[in-house]
Amino acid sequence: MSRDLEDQILEAHAQHDQMSLVTLYQKAGRIAEQDGDIDAACFFWTHAYVFALEQAHPARDDLHARLVTYGRET
Amino acid sequence: MATDLSVVRQPIETANGLSNDHYIDPVVFEEERQAVLFNSWSGLATAAEVPELGDAKPVEFLGVPLLLMRGKDNVVRVFQNTCRHRGMILVSEPKKIEGAIRCPYHSWCYSHKGALVSTPHVGGAGHNTHENIDRDTLGLTEIPSYIWRDIVFVNISGDADPFEVVHAELLERWKEFDSPHYHGGADSTFTLPVKTNWKLAVENYCESYHLPWIHPGLNSYSRLEDHYNINQYGRFSGQGTYVYRQLTNDAGDVFPDFPGLSEKWNTGAEYITVYPNVLLGAQRDHGFAIILEPTALDETKEHVHLYYASQDTDDELRAKNTVQWREVFEEDVFVVEGMQKGRHAPHFDGGRFSPAMDAPTHCFHDWVASRIQIHREQQQAKSQAAE
Ligand code: FES
Ligand SMILES: [Fe+2]
């Protein structure tokens, strides 16, 4: 994960900005997937998914589908 | 040693009240907590405290952490406010749950109906399932609840008969009042902290004997003989009046009536305790509820709520009504606090009842004693079974 993205995630945690946490972790997951690191991608998507669930964020279903695809969620 | 309840369960003519230990002994308080409060349908809160879909409010009842929640399906539920994983408190301040309840510890997520919907990393990092974690069996623990007149009653032990069965006679008695009761809002609720055991607040509420002495203002238009006792042994007690008078403002306006009431309620009103801890008032134009929250052996919070037949009542009249009731309930504070102090007198025997005036009080003591007796029998059967 880039230094910049990591800083943004830490900042969003500090601000309890759950909506931003969804999009930032989603992005981190995509980058890890592009790098071929599926474990890391699923780790980030799990975080994105949980915050999306909490906020009823529209990305919820897409994140769920990705995790299911990789056998990480039911 | 267990207190002697047989004197309480005599007919009123010869009975004594509950002994001092029921008011000042922490061991008996623990026994009553289970036998009288947890094993019955106790008043916890009002549904008005979670007005909107997704509203969640943590509430404690005698140390038990609970969560009051209005689901997206508009059903009010009560859960243990405890995560099924490591027992973390789930919600620590009132808030709106937009999607799921996320545990602040390891982020297990629960739906607004309490179902466990996500268990992040439970099978290792990035793996959110595990064969031993069966989500279907790990939802939030729901506490049986029932809403009547906007009051949320809970049966914490989970094994009481249904509320409609336990309180069938009372529901029938007041069924004319089944129309919607609208909470008057922020100006129609207040809390009186009193230094007394919760039972003394019930005892004082149930009887009309004290009215001319403690509430001379009320009584200038409402004489002792205008009141009657209500005692359903084993069920509920309270008092009624034949001379209820509506509050008016300078212009002579009154609150609108609840629809469909029969004539007897034109000047009739009733004040009944739903055992153990909810004091209710039913009148043609407004109702009220006092939920007694026992916060310690000798400390109680009286949460007062006023209800109307319409969502839209006159602000000034409503404020005047709140002031009037606050004055009445404040007049009772020194009595319930004084009786609590009186319970430290070692030679007080629980007191002598007036057979004419005190039946509602004896009815309550008799019920409390019966609940404790049942509990003691159950405990005994359990310990015999264990031997
Ligand atoms: S205690 Fe709630 S997720 Fe661990
Ligand atoms: Fe009183």
Side-chain angles (χ1 to χ4, degrees), chain A residues 46-47 50 53-54 72-73, chain B residues 99-100 102 121 127-128 135:
Chain A
T46 293
H47 285 242
V50 157
L53 269 182
E54 184 180 26
R72 310 304 177 102
E73 182 57 78
Chain B
R102 182 174 66 86
H121 311 314
H127 296 262
N128 304 324
R135 290 182 188 170

Side-chain angles (χ1 to χ4, degrees), chain B residues 83-88 90 103-110:
Chain B
C83 182
R84 292 296 301 274
H85 177 222
R86 301 304 312 137
M88 177 66 185
L90 283 171
C103 176
Y105 198 1
H106 313 94
S107 290
W108 285 23
C109 290
Y110 302 89

Side-chain angles (χ1 to χ4, degrees), chain B residues 102-263:
Chain B
R102 182 174 66 86
C103 176
Y105 198 1
H106 313 94
S107 290
W108 285 23
C109 290
Y110 302 89
S111 79
H112 55 91
K113 291 180 180 171
L116 179 60
V117 291
S118 184
T119 48
H121 311 314
V122 80
H127 296 262
N128 304 324
T129 59
H130 187 281
E131 56 177 353
N132 296 128
I133 303 294
D134 177 7
R135 290 182 188 170
D136 290 345
T137 64
L138 291 169
L140 295 182
T141 305
E142 186 169 353
I143 302 294
S145 61
Y146 188 91
I147 297 173
W148 184 49
R149 296 173 68 90
D150 196 53
I151 308 303
V152 182
F153 293 87
V154 288
N155 170 225
I156 291 180
S157 70
D159 52 15
D161 287 337
F163 185 93
E164 311 92 297
V165 172
V166 175
H167 293 297
E169 286 128 310
L170 184 53
L171 297 180
E172 175 64 25
R173 184 183 187 102
W174 279 3
K175 73 169 185 300
E176 287 187 42
F177 285 97
D178 277 348
S179 51
H181 279 51
Y182 297 101
H183 195 291
D187 61 18
S188 299
T189 181
F190 55 94
T191 294
L192 297 176
V194 285
K195 288 190 174 10
T196 192
N197 181 273
W198 65 276
K199 295 192 297 302
L200 289 169
V202 174
E203 296 167 25
N204 175 64
Y205 183 76
C206 283
E207 54 115 307
S208 53
Y209 194 3
H210 73 285
L211 299 184
W213 311 110
I214 304 304
H215 311 294
L218 265 187
N219 227 64
S220 61
Y221 61 84
S222 157
R223 297 159 305 151
L224 209 45
E225 61 267 34
D226 294 328
H227 297 268
Y228 57 94
N229 292 343
I230 299 167
N231 341 288
Q232 283 282 334
Y233 273 82
R235 296 288 177 212
F236 56 86
S237 63
Q239 51 173 307
T241 176
Y242 300 115
V243 292
Y244 175 67
R245 285 215 314 221
Q246 289 183 274
L247 183 72
T248 57
N249 61 14
D250 295 340
D253 302 323
V254 294
F255 293 115
D257 288 337
F258 291 105
L261 295 180
S262 56
E263 239 169 52

Side-chain angles (χ1 to χ4, degrees), chain B residues 203 206-207 231 237 353 357-366:
Chain B
E203 296 167 25
C206 283
E207 54 115 307
N231 341 288
S237 63
F353 295 112
M357 303 302 290
D358 286 327
T361 312
H362 178 246
C363 184
F364 175 61
H365 277 211
D366 179 72

